[in-house]
Amino acid sequence: MRTALVPTMGALHNGHLRLVEMGLRTADRVVTTIFVNPQQFAPGEDLDAYPRTEKSDVEKLRAAGVHLIFAPPLLEMYQEGFCTSVSTAGPAKAGLEDKSRPHFFEGVTTVVAKLFIAAGCDYAMFGEKDFQQLKVVTKMARDLSIPTSVIGVPTVRADDGLALASRNAYLSEEQRSIAPMLHQTLQHLATDIRNGKNMTRACSAAKKTLKQNGFKTDYVEIRVAETLEPVKSVPEAELRILAAAWLGKTRLIDNIAV
Ligand code: AMP
């Protein structure tokens, strides 16, 4: 009997449900976890405001055919005196999400390692939407010899291209109408790169477009997809464009293949 784990922070949308669907195709049993992990939020981030919709989450997961839901209270994950964490490097220090959220991946890998070990799962489904996280978690499982295969699932988008995300709930109506520009800008950038444009100049142009449309950009980067290292010479490797930008008080992230 093979088991797939789908770790989430709840506030479930069709992106999460796609992970469940892929889990059901990959394994005989799917376990979904719902846990808003305080360790991956820095002081001043949105831990308290993070949307919590546990009742409807459970209904959605039941309808999707999940076999087990694990939604532990805080103390079950972090008993008093908890003081151990996973230390990460490599893709976790790529200078992308980690640049503005320096403790994020330590928090993520610690809770994910605990969940992998507790669940003893054969597979774990992670979204490409959080591309750096997918790479970090894959490496963590391999490096720590945890026998769980991490499987990446392509990003689920709204019809207008916006990547589905629990934090999209923070967007005002006006911001929601601007938000798909992030994906569109990355698509233009990918086309430019495929057409042989200079990467630095093309990234600067993308940032300018985002700024003109009201985004405050954290980063727009082109990286080697597998390792997230910067692209040094003319690449044989597959490339990935990754971006993060603020729209008002909402931080959006997205990425696409070149
Ligand atoms: P979260 O609840 O935001 O921590 O996400 C839980 C899992 O769902 C992570 O593996 C995410 O990458 C994945 N996920 C979130 N949004 C999407 C999406 N739009 N498409 C695919 N996977 C997603």
Side-chain angles (χ1 to χ4, degrees), residues 3-38:
T3 309
L5 187 75
V6 178
T8 80
M9 297 207 298
L12 300 183
H13 50 65
N14 285 339
H16 298 110
L17 296 180
R18 179 68 57 80
L19 302 192
V20 168
E21 189 189 321
M22 296 308 285
L24 287 167
R25 279 196 216 167
T26 309
D28 309 295
R29 292 282 183 268
V30 172
V31 177
T32 301
T33 66
I34 300 174
F35 182 63
V36 182
N37 175 33

Side-chain angles (χ1 to χ4, degrees), residues 7-10 13 15-16 19 50 126-127 129-130 133 154-156 164:
T8 80
M9 297 207 298
H13 50 65
H16 298 110
L19 302 192
Y50 196 83
F126 279 79
K129 168 171 166 273
D130 301 279
Q133 172 175 279
T155 303
V156 178
L164 299 186

Side-chain angles (χ1 to χ4, degrees), residues 35 37-41 77-78 82 84-88 101-115 133 136-137 140:
F35 182 63
N37 175 33
Q39 287 212 348
Q40 67 194 67
F41 289 78
M77 292 304 286
Y78 302 115
F82 184 94
T84 304
S85 65
V86 175
S87 160
T88 52
R101 311 183 74 191
H103 304 295
F104 177 67
F105 288 120
E106 186 174 316
V108 168
T109 48
T110 300
V111 80
V112 167
K114 283 168 69 66
L115 292 171
Q133 172 175 279
V136 170
V137 168
M140 180 274 292

Side-chain angles (χ1 to χ4, degrees), residues 141 182 217:
L182 179 59
T217 304

